[in-house]
């Protein structure tokens, strides 16, 4: 009987153990949380980069994400903010921001967690590893000789979770009532004092166990330590940092690099303390570097030789400022746009990497700044979309972008090929009308246009870049020089040519005509080319574009996607409100159409002209735009066919050759979004800043826009149904 009872007891234990094991395995291998409303697809590479890019042995991008620890109860918070205060208290106070959108909240699978708990930290580490992050940056707090809110990182020392490489960032601002380090109305909750060598050594010794941890992040053998606000430390900073570097060597750590965080949004000016004491490295912490609009982040200039770029996910401080009118919110955040933004950031990093041996960290703000609406952790609104976006972006960049060392090696071969090409008669002369709208901080950049030319299968082309107006654009010659291509020449239009200052849409071709007349002197290689292509600095071309130049017709048309073609597209003529934006995502929809010599379909930037014939017949684009009826370019094309008897070759197939920007598909690829307005001049590509600027006088809180629809799809904004109906009624369209 005792044996039977023992066997039954053993069976129960075995069953319970098996159930526990299965539950544990399910917990550790749970599937990703899908989008609640709209899941990001696994994007395939574009046709322009179907090959797998060569990898570099000396470089890698290492994404790091900031982790905010204020999700557990501790004594300082109880004293300063009330009993049992955590960041969740702020998050739970509000449900919507000033734009009427839900403030983001944690997904039910993670809930309002306790940041100290083992399972929370284990989950966070697993989430980061599964989605391509290299490591984490923990905010570290030290005030006047003692740590504050240190319990999460202390727990990590004890049990190893989150199990991921890490570094510390000293959040060295005072704690203030306004949550911004400024003290606001003078109420500083915990002051920041730096002391002298004794205080510095005490701080350093407290940090030593973290520095000695096997997962503490190094670069070139040196431990990496971030200082969040170097300006606040002031001129004592260089001496403090020098002492820490010395002690790091003496303690056998191999040395220390102080990574000083960049402030000032787009300003290139660093703290006064950097004069004579250049930082070891600088990192970007958005929004302090670059502001809140991701559209301009990749255009920030490097401030030091070792420079680490960064970004944020979103921004909404409504939870921290529910009633004081100090909240700042971004209404158009989405993992879909973020993914495209990341791809562009990774391209930038690979084109301008840190010196070999130094890491290329990418600082993401943040894993869990829920009180600032800035969290890539799974949310009720987006699931694990931000994690998926990071993983996708890394994979896309791996396929599409090459590192500078590989590019330099390829450049040696390419330069030899270009030298040989330059001895031949060119197939195409490309005249590029540039303007300040093509600068690096704009959506459609001249640099992207030049890269698209360099990616052509047919490399036998020349290009002349010139400014079509008299606006100030000092960056232009620099952008052309950096293309490192002898086929691309910068030309300054003679001051004798009277070119009007730009007013609205640029329709003046006086500069273009001057370049064509002087082409033999400006660029003999261009002047002798078989075909002429006149385009703008904002456009881009697919690699197969110049393949059609084997033809012998006088005009050769290309397939083009453009603002005008999208407006005229026969499948996009349904003006019903519910069709706005939705039709753009119809499966199989081809937004490209052929440029043909008719009034309705001709596109100058998508048509090759017989250059010799154009010059022999003494044509002038400026005369075209004065003498021909609108649309002038189409009327001119009809004239060449009907009156001058030029021959024409239409494009073969449906492959898109040209993005005459703003075009929908290239807009999304820049990390921006489309506004599908029923007003032609409003419809187009927007960044968050540009959209808010459009409505700053008429609807500053964007009350007329269906922002909830954008939150569901992440690619397109439309008017609300009531506002749309009013617009159609006032225009007589209904």
């Amino acid at each position: 009987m005792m044996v039977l009872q023992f066997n039954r007891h053993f069976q129960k234990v075995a069953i319970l153990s098996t159930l526990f094991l299965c539950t544990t395995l399910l917990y550790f291998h749970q599937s990703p949380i899908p989008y609640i409303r709209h899941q990001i697809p696994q994007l395939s590479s574009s046709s322009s980069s179907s090959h797998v890019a060569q990898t570099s042995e000396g470089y890698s991008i290492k994404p790091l994400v900031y982790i905010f620890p204020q999700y557990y109860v501790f004594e300082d918070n109880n004293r300063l903010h009330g009993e049992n205060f955590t960041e969740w208290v702020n998050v739970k106070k509000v449900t919507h921001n000033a734009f009427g959108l839900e403030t983001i909240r944690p997904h039910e699978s993670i809930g309002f967690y306790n940041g100290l708990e083992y399972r929370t930290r284990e989950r966070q580490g697993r989430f980061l590893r599964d989605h391509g992050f290299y490591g984490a940056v923990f905010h570290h707090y030290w005030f006047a000789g003692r740590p504050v809110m240190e319990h999460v990182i202390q727990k990590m020392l004890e049990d190893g979770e989150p199990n991921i490489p890490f570094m510390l960032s000293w959040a060295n601002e005072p704690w203030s009532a306004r949550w911004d380090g400024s003290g606001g109305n003078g109420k500083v909750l915990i002051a920041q004092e730096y002391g002298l060598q004794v205080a510095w050594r005490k701080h350093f010794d407290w940090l030593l166990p973290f520095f000695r941890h096997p997962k503490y992040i190094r670069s070139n053998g040196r431990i990496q330590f971030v200082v969040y606000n170097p300006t606040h430390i002031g001129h004592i900073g260089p001496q403090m940092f020098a002492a820490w570097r010395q002690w790091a060597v003496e303690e056998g750590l191999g040395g220390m690099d102080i990574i000083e965080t960049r402030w000032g949004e787009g300003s290139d000016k660093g703290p006064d303390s950097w004069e004579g004491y250049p930082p070891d490295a600088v990192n970007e912490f958005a929004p302090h570097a670059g502001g809140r609009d991701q559209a301009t982040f990749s255009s920030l200039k490097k401030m030091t030789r070792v420079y680490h770029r960064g970004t944020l996910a979103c921004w909404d401080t409504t939870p921290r400022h529910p009633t004081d009118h100090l909240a700042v919110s971004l209404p158009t955040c989405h993992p879909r746009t973020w993914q495209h933004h990341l791809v562009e950031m990774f391209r930038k990093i690979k084109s301008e990497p840190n010196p070999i041996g130094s890491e290329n960290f990418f600082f993401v703000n943040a894993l869990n700044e829920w009180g600032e609406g800035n969290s890539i952790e799974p949310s009720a609104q987006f699931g694990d979309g931000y994690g998926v976006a990071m993983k996708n972006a890394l994979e896309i960049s791996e396929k599409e972008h090459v590192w500078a060392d590989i590019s330099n090696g390829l450049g040696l071969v390419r330069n030899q090929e270009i030298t040989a090409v330059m001895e031949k008669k060119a197939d195409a002369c490309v005249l590029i009308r540039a303007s300040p709208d093509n600068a690096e901080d704009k959506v459609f950049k001249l640099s992207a246009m030049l890269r698209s030319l360099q990616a052509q299968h047919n490399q036998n082309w020349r290009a002349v870049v010139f400014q079509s107006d008299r606006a100030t654009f000092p960056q232009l010659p620099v952008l052309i020089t950096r293309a490192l291509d002898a086929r691309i020449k910068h030309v300054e239009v003679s001051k004798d040519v009277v070119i009007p200052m730009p007013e609205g849409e640029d329709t003046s071709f006086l500069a273009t005509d001057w370049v064509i007349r002087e082409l033999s002197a400006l660029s003999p290689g261009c002047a002798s080319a078989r075909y002429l292509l006149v385009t703008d600095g904002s456009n881009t071309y697919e690699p197969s574009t110049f393949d059609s130049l084997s033809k012998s017709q006088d005009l050769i048309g290309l397939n083009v996607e453009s603002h005008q073609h999208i407006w005229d597209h026969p499948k996009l003529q349904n003006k019903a409100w519910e069709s706005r934006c939705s039709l753009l995502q119809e499966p199989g929809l081809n937004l490209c159409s052929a440029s043909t010599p008719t009034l309705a379909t001709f596109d100058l930037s998508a048509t090759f002209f017989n250059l010799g014939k154009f010059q022999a017949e003494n044509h002038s684009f400026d005369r075209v735009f004065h003498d021909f009826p609108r649309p002038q370019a189409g009327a001119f094309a009809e004239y060449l066919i009907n009156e001058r008897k030029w021959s024409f070759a239409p494009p073969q197939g449906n492959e898109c050759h040209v993005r005459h920007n703003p075009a929908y598909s290239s807009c999304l690829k820049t990390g921006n979004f489309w506004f599908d307005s029923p007003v032609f001049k409003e419809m187009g590509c927007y960044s968050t800043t540009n959209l808010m600027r459009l409505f700053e006088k008429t609807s500053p809180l964007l009350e007329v826009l269906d922002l909830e629809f954008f939150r569901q799809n992440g690619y397109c904004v439309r008017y609300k149904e009531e506002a749309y109906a009013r617009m159609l009624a006032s225009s007589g369209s209904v």
Side-chain angles (χ1 to χ4, degrees), residues 533-550:
L533 178 65
V534 179
T535 187
D536 295 329
S538 58
N539 301 331
T540 55
Y541 292 83
E542 294 299 316
S544 62
T545 301
F546 292 1
D547 293 355
S548 61
L549 296 181
S550 59

Side-chain angles (χ1 to χ4, degrees), residues 159-222:
D159 56 34
E161 292 294 349
N163 184 17
I164 192 168
F166 71 95
M167 68 172 73
L168 301 180
S169 172
W170 183 16
N172 60 302
E173 290 183 327
W175 270 16
S176 73
R178 280 178 48 172
W179 306 95
D180 60 5
S182 67
N185 58 7
K187 188 174 182 181
V188 174
L189 304 180
I190 305 180
Q192 182 60 271
E193 299 174 7
Y194 297 104
L196 297 175
Q197 283 88 343
V198 172
W200 306 344
R201 183 71 206 203
K202 183 178 181 181
H203 189 184
F204 181 86
D205 287 343
W206 188 88
L207 292 166
L208 265 177
F210 299 96
F211 294 157
R212 296 191 190 282
H213 195 282
K215 286 192 175 294
Y216 197 89
I217 294 174
R218 296 170 178 266
S219 178
N220 269 324
R222 297 185 292 273

Side-chain angles (χ1 to χ4, degrees), residues 23-291:
T23 303
T24 303
L25 289 172
L26 284 172
Y27 174 77
F28 282 105
H29 293 87
Q30 56 185 301
S31 60
I33 303 159
Y35 271 24
I36 305 307
R37 298 190 180 98
H38 193 94
Q39 187 170 1
I40 275 189
Q42 296 287 333
L43 296 184
S44 60
S45 300
S46 67
S47 59
S48 63
S49 301
S50 58
H51 67 285
V52 176
Q54 292 177 264
T55 57
S56 169
E57 296 182 1
Y59 294 117
S60 66
I61 294 175
K62 293 185 174 176
L64 308 174
V65 66
Y66 283 91
I67 295 182
F68 183 57
Q70 194 167 234
Y71 298 97
Y72 68 97
V73 176
F74 59 95
E75 182 180 344
D76 284 294
N77 260 357
N78 287 340
R79 175 172 53 84
L80 298 172
H81 299 293
E83 199 69 21
N84 296 323
F85 177 85
T86 70
E87 188 73 357
W88 296 128
V89 172
N90 287 332
V91 174
K92 293 176 182 179
K93 283 179 183 177
V94 297
T95 58
H96 291 76
N97 61 27
F99 293 102
L101 291 168
E102 286 182 338
T103 49
I104 63 166
R105 299 166 82 82
H107 189 268
E108 61 182 5
S109 63
I110 66 175
F112 298 104
Y113 54 77
N114 183 330
L116 276 184
E117 290 184 353
Y118 178 89
R119 65 177 181 176
T120 295
R121 293 178 287 110
E122 187 280 330
R123 172 188 57 76
Q124 290 175 334
R126 177 161 37 87
F127 174 83
L128 296 177
R129 292 193 304 272
D130 289 349
H131 292 97
F133 285 88
Y134 172 73
V137 184
F138 288 96
H139 287 296
H140 153 63
Y141 302 86
W142 180 271
F143 298 95
R146 72 180 183 94
V148 174
M149 205 158 57
E150 76 282 11
H151 307 87
V152 170
I153 55 176
Q154 289 282 21
K155 282 286 186 182
M156 180 186 60
L157 286 184
E158 295 174 12
D159 56 34
E161 292 294 349
N163 184 17
I164 192 168
F166 71 95
M167 68 172 73
L168 301 180
S169 172
W170 183 16
N172 60 302
E173 290 183 327
W175 270 16
S176 73
R178 280 178 48 172
W179 306 95
D180 60 5
S182 67
N185 58 7
K187 188 174 182 181
V188 174
L189 304 180
I190 305 180
Q192 182 60 271
E193 299 174 7
Y194 297 104
L196 297 175
Q197 283 88 343
V198 172
W200 306 344
R201 183 71 206 203
K202 183 178 181 181
H203 189 184
F204 181 86
D205 287 343
W206 188 88
L207 292 166
L208 265 177
F210 299 96
F211 294 157
R212 296 191 190 282
H213 195 282
K215 286 192 175 294
Y216 197 89
I217 294 174
R218 296 170 178 266
S219 178
N220 269 324
R222 297 185 292 273
I223 58 173
Q224 306 292 290
F225 185 72
V226 182
V227 174
Y228 173 72
N229 190 344
T231 300
H232 191 271
I233 297 179
H235 290 284
I236 204 172
Q239 284 75 21
M240 181 194 299
F241 302 156
W244 284 354
R245 294 186 196 100
Q246 173 189 332
W247 296 333
V249 171
E250 293 172 353
E251 292 291 340
L253 298 174
M256 170 190 280
D257 286 335
I258 308 295
I259 302 176
E260 302 186 47
T261 298
R262 177 176 182 170
W263 283 60
E265 297 196 359
S267 172
D268 295 332
K269 187 179 185 306
D272 293 341
S273 59
W274 288 3
E275 295 181 11
Y277 301 93
D280 301 328
V282 170
N283 77 314
E284 293 175 353
F285 179 92
H288 299 322

Side-chain angles (χ1 to χ4, degrees), residues 298-372:
S298 67
S299 68
L300 289 177
K301 297 177 181 177
K302 297 177 71 169
M303 301 181 72
T304 51
R305 193 159 179 257
V306 178
Y307 186 85
H308 304 293
R309 295 193 179 273
T311 191
L312 47 67
C314 191
W315 197 259
D316 184 359
T317 57
T318 303
R320 289 186 171 181
H321 301 282
T323 60
D324 61 8
H325 306 292
L326 295 176
V328 176
S329 307
L330 295 180
T332 52
C333 299
H334 199 281
R336 183 187 294 274
T337 54
W338 200 61
Q339 175 173 312
H340 290 297
H341 159 68
L342 292 178
V343 172
E344 168 60 14
M345 293 297 290
F346 296 158
R347 182 202 65 78
K348 187 72 170 181
I349 291 171
K350 289 185 173 183
S351 68
E352 300 177 353
N354 291 326
I356 292 179
S358 296
E359 301 290 359
N360 292 275
F361 300 124
F362 181 65
F363 287 79
V364 176
N365 182 27
L367 177 72
N368 59 345
E369 283 280 11
W370 293 98
E372 294 178 344

Side-chain angles (χ1 to χ4, degrees), residues 560-601:
V560 57
E561 178 189 347
S562 70
H563 184 265
Q564 184 68 55
H565 283 203
I566 292 172
W567 182 263
D568 295 334
H569 199 291
K571 292 187 177 181
L572 299 177
Q573 297 308 304
N574 184 348
K575 303 302 183 184
W577 169 77
E578 60 273 11
S579 71
R580 307 310 302 197
C581 290
S582 302
L583 289 178
L584 290 167
Q585 287 292 296
E586 284 291 316
L589 177 67
N590 185 2
L591 293 175
C592 274
S593 55
S595 173
T596 59
T598 67
L599 288 175
T601 61

